[in-house]
Amino acid sequence: MPDTLKFHFDIDGSDFSSAGAASVMVKKKLRQLAYDPEIIRKVSIAMYEGEINMVIHANGGTADVEVSDEEIVIILSDKGPGIPNVELAMQAGYSTAHDNIRNLGFGAGMGFPNMKKYTDYLNVDTVVGEGTTITMKVKL
Amino acid sequence: MKISEIRDLLGASVLTGEGILDHEVTSACCSDMMSDVLAYVKDQGVLITGLVNPQVIRTANMMDMVCIVFARSKTPTEEMIELAKECGIAVMCTEKRAFETCGILYTAGISKCNEDKNA
Ligand SMILES: Nc1ncnc2c1ncn2[C@@H]1O[C@H](COP(=O)(O)OP(=O)(O)OP(=O)(O)O)[C@@H](O)[C@H]1O
Ligand SMILES: [Mg+2]
């Protein structure tokens, strides 16, 4: 595979019912391409956590997935409120989600720890009031 | 245990996944918090829940789970059933509450989902 495979998604922040759909799509594509199930699992869980975060915390954004010979790169970009304290946000159990989010089954503060657990590289680039870009890499 | 045995034990009605009722499952997890399912579930298995939204199906898909049991007569929407079908996940509904559902399956030999310690 000489070319890098690329997927792009616009993540609608106004419609919770579609949250996670892009990750399901990526998982399906990677399965069709017969990647190792463990790799697929890591990529899809990490992306899903990030995608849900964009919808519940940042009013949506874009998701880009790039597959090369060496790695799968996931870039999630939003123009949401930004994250004031990334170190704190990365801690297990830390969440600013309200009850309405918890009623939807999210907001335990486990997303970032999970993204870290399932990826080989995680970078959070965020500016309060401007937005957040999350880059994750899983080695093949 | 086969997925069909889960249906029989719970007196559940299968909404999609007739074709994979012979599939063997050994473990299950019960939660209304998808965050926790994502964080603590490891191997393939069954998700028992009272939460009804498309993220239940998507979360199960992410975790490679093969069967979802909606407890206490919670009924998924057509859209959710369609999504589960696409993902190859069996979906069933039981009148039993989550606690009883878990008890029945546990007694019948279904174990808890192992936590993912090595990832
Ligand atoms: N894209 C984002 N924009 C702004 N804030 C974010 C974003 N992603 C995460 N956060 C902040 O970081 C916190 C921790 O995120 P994390 O994903 O770990 O937990 P959560 O989303 O609150 O709950 P869970 O992921 O368990 O459902 C969030 O509560 C939120 O305050
Ligand atoms: Mg989250």
Side-chain angles (χ1 to χ4, degrees):
Chain A
M1 246 188 294
D3 295 316
T4 312
L5 210 61
K6 291 182 184 175
F7 305 111
H8 174 84
F9 304 92
D10 291 312
I11 311 297
D12 186 353
S14 63
D15 173 25
F16 181 76
S17 74
S18 65
S23 302
V24 170
M25 199 93 88
V26 166
K27 179 157 196 158
K28 193 174 162 189
K29 297 247 200 247
L30 294 178
R31 272 181 175 165
Q32 282 166 355
L33 294 165
Y35 280 94
D36 171 22
E38 270 311 304
I39 297 283
I40 298 177
R41 184 185 171 82
K42 287 181 183 180
V43 169
S44 57
I45 295 173
M47 178 177 171
Y48 186 68
E49 293 278 15
E51 184 184 353
I52 300 277
N53 275 358
M54 279 204 299
V55 176
I56 64 181
H57 304 298
N59 201 30
T62 58
D64 288 277
V65 180
E66 295 180 13
V67 185
S68 70
D69 287 346
E70 296 91 42
E71 60 190 8
I72 299 179
V73 182
I74 307 152
I75 301 165
L76 304 166
S77 213
D78 68 61
K79 293 187 166 55
I83 304 171
N85 185 337
V86 174
E87 210 184 312
L88 187 61
M90 299 286 283
Q91 282 176 17
Y94 177 82
S95 175
T96 57
H98 294 289
D99 281 350
N100 60 327
I101 298 299
R102 256 177 282 273
N103 290 340
L104 295 169
F106 294 92
M110 294 306 295
F112 268 133
N114 225 11
M115 286 152 77
K116 197 165 181 147
K117 178 166 118 180
Y118 285 113
T119 56
D120 297 304
Y121 172 91
L122 167 65
N123 182 61
V124 182
D125 189 4
T126 183
V127 178
V128 172
E130 290 184 18
T132 303
T133 295
I134 298 195
T135 307
M136 295 182 280
K137 296 179 187 177
V138 173
K139 290 201 191 97
L140 291 175
Chain B
M1 174 186 306
K2 287 188 166 59
I3 293 175
S4 59
E5 292 175 75
I6 294 180
R7 173 200 59 198
D8 297 344
L9 283 165
L10 300 175
S13 47
V14 174
L15 304 175
T16 181
E18 290 289 349
I20 58 163
L21 294 182
D22 276 346
H23 199 102
E24 289 281 339
V25 288
T26 55
S27 60
C29 155
C30 177
S31 184
D32 288 352
M33 277 301 271
M34 295 304 108
S35 301
D36 288 339
V37 175
L38 286 159
Y40 299 115
V41 171
K42 167 67 177 159
D43 34 72
Q44 292 203 358
V46 183
L47 173 61
I48 301 152
T49 190
L51 182 73
V52 179
N53 65 30
Q55 283 70 31
V56 173
I57 315 288
R58 294 192 185 115
T59 302
N61 176 239
M62 292 304 127
M63 304 315 287
D64 299 322
M65 297 175 111
V66 291
C67 174
I68 302 171
V69 178
F70 287 96
R72 199 154 39 100
S73 301
K74 298 277 183 192
T75 314
T77 61
E78 276 305 318
E79 182 204 356
M80 288 169 64
I81 295 169
E82 202 47 49
L83 188 57
K85 192 184 266 176
E86 278 170 35
C87 295
I89 298 170
V91 174
M92 58 182 87
C93 284
T94 175
E95 283 175 11
K96 299 189 193 318
R97 292 179 174 222
F99 178 75
E100 197 187 352
T101 300
C102 293
I104 290 169
L105 297 186
Y106 192 90
T107 307
I110 292 280
S111 66
K112 70 186 175 88
C113 280
N114 290 321
E115 283 186 23
D116 193 354
K117 296 206 177 70
N118 37 358

